Amino acid sequence: MKIYIVYDSEVGHTEKLARSIAKGAKNVEGTEVFIHHVNNANVRDLAQMDAIIWGCPGHFGTISSGLKAWIDKLGSLWAEGNLVDKIGAVFCTTATVHGGIEATLLNLITPMLHQGMMVVGLPASIPGNAFYGSYYGIGVTSPDEDTDDELSHSLYEKGILLGESLGTRVANMTKIFLTGREHLSRQGS
């Protein structure tokens, strides 16, 4: 099972979240994770993946220009239907509590739906998600490094840990989907 994680990161917060998601995905047996900064990611690799997770810093409630430019290269994959029925998930970071986390996550989901992907989020049953998470993916407010505000740093670290939960959930859902599809194809032959 192959999971591709692509991220845009400017000062390292989003990369840290991406690595947490990768760690969670690797916890599921049989998972191979490919993680790339958007500058080193090749959209053509996505056709061979079973799940795709992408994320970026939120910029005024929407996708960063680096990840958006990369997503805009998916046209040929869309035309060929190469991403239909792949599992997808999203993540983002923002600099402020009301920095547009949910708007950014929804903007990240939209291209996945256009591609025919099946989007996985985090349910409230995941410990901590109902209190400081999001159902659309993982959105984390990154504290100003110069602040001594313990609450900001604590919520950021809890959000990073939720990244592991998202990675594990995506890997488990992908495994369930692939097993079911394999079972159906055996029945049909």
Side-chain angles (χ1 to χ4, degrees):
M1 178 172 57
K2 296 179 179 180
I3 297 179
Y4 197 90
I5 301 171
V6 60
Y7 65 91
D8 190 10
S9 188
E10 295 159 357
V11 296
H13 294 295
T14 311
E15 179 179 5
K16 185 174 181 181
L17 183 54
R19 296 206 177 281
S20 175
I21 293 166
K23 181 180 177 185
K26 289 175 186 175
N27 287 336
V28 177
E29 186 178 338
T31 303
E32 187 176 5
V33 176
F34 303 85
I35 182 169
H36 296 284
H37 185 277
V38 69
N39 293 340
N40 303 318
N42 185 341
V43 296
R44 289 313 224 168
D45 293 342
L46 300 182
Q48 287 75 46
M49 299 297 136
D50 300 303
I52 302 157
I53 305 169
W54 60 49
C56 64
H59 287 186
F60 309 107
T62 195
I63 305 169
S64 69
S65 61
L67 185 60
K68 178 68 169 90
W70 187 83
I71 289 171
D72 286 347
K73 296 175 186 174
L74 298 176
S76 62
L77 295 175
W78 172 83
E80 298 163 5
N82 287 331
L83 303 185
V84 171
D85 292 340
K86 294 193 185 290
I87 303 294
V90 299
F91 62 99
C92 74
T93 59
T94 60
T96 61
V97 174
H98 300 289
I101 285 175
E102 288 189 341
T104 302
L105 293 172
L106 290 170
N107 280 306
L108 287 165
I109 288 170
T110 301
M112 291 184 166
L113 296 174
H114 278 260
Q115 293 286 343
M117 295 172 65
M118 297 174 287
V119 179
V120 172
L122 277 183
S125 60
I126 301 292
N129 194 49
F131 299 111
Y132 45 80
S134 172
Y135 306 110
Y136 309 113
I138 297 296
V140 177
T141 301
S142 306
D144 180 343
E145 298 305 320
D146 296 329
T147 186
D148 290 332
D149 180 20
E150 289 182 35
L151 180 59
S152 294
H153 287 283
S154 173
L155 290 175
Y156 173 71
E157 290 305 322
K158 288 177 181 177
I160 295 297
L161 290 175
L162 277 176
E164 285 187 45
S165 297
L166 181 66
T168 300
R169 181 164 164 75
V170 168
N172 281 326
M173 296 306 292
T174 303
K175 185 178 266 190
I176 289 167
F177 177 73
L178 293 174
T179 302
R181 185 164 59 188
E182 183 180 308
H183 176 73
L184 286 174
S185 69
R186 279 194 307 250
Q187 282 184 332
S189 5

